[in-house]
Amino acid sequence: MKKTLLVTGLVLILMIIGAFAIFFYNPNTLTPENLEGKTSYYTIIVNDDGGEILGDNQRHEYTLDAFNKSGEKKSLTFTSSKQLREGAYLELYVAPFRGVTYWQEIQFDELPEQIKSIYSK
């Protein structure tokens, strides 16, 4: 009886783990530029020091305050293979558990109205 309950419990746990793995491991959502399930945040490069250079691969790491479409502030860290220019507006795509997976430079006119009001102050 105890052995049957133990085996049943283990099978249930394995099924739950398998279901979560299938749910979270969708290769299409893992591609950095895929927007599905990601939240957009907007930021501006405020200094031209190039961020902190990481290791031998010479990637530039930036930690900046960013805002979602509602204007909620969040500090985000991301990397770039090049130094980003001062004053550049960026749209950051943030995935749960993975952080910033993709970013692109945008023009001021492309920012949501709430964000424009923050950066025009």
Side-chain angles (χ1 to χ4, degrees):
M1 181 72 169
K2 288 183 181 182
K3 190 173 186 178
T4 305
L5 285 174
L6 180 63
V7 170
T8 304
L10 286 174
V11 169
L12 268 171
I13 290 172
L14 289 174
M15 287 175 60
I16 291 170
I17 291 171
F20 276 111
I22 290 170
F23 179 75
F24 286 111
Y25 184 74
N26 179 347
N28 294 332
T29 60
L30 293 180
T31 57
E33 62 277 356
N34 184 348
L35 304 182
E36 185 179 330
K38 297 176 183 159
T39 305
S40 290
Y41 281 83
Y42 302 89
T43 191
I44 185 171
I45 303 298
V46 291
N47 58 29
D48 59 355
D49 67 355
E52 180 182 339
I53 297 177
L54 300 175
D56 295 334
N57 62 6
Q58 299 297 305
R59 290 193 66 83
H60 299 262
E61 182 180 74
Y62 294 87
T63 300
L64 301 168
D65 289 335
F67 300 89
N68 65 11
K69 291 180 182 182
S70 302
E72 296 172 5
K73 183 175 165 181
K74 185 174 189 178
S75 180
L76 296 172
T77 300
F78 63 98
T79 63
S80 171
S81 60
K82 63 181 181 179
Q83 181 176 344
L84 302 175
R85 68 177 179 83
E86 182 174 358
Y89 293 99
L90 302 179
E91 182 174 11
L92 309 172
Y93 300 101
V94 180
F97 307 112
R98 295 177 52 211
V100 177
T101 61
Y102 183 72
W103 62 266
Q104 65 181 358
E105 185 173 338
I106 60 174
Q107 299 300 314
F108 182 80
D109 296 342
E110 298 174 85
L111 293 171
E113 291 303 319
Q114 180 78 10
I115 307 306
K116 284 181 187 177
S117 67
I118 292 170
Y119 287 127
S120 63
K121 292 179 181 177

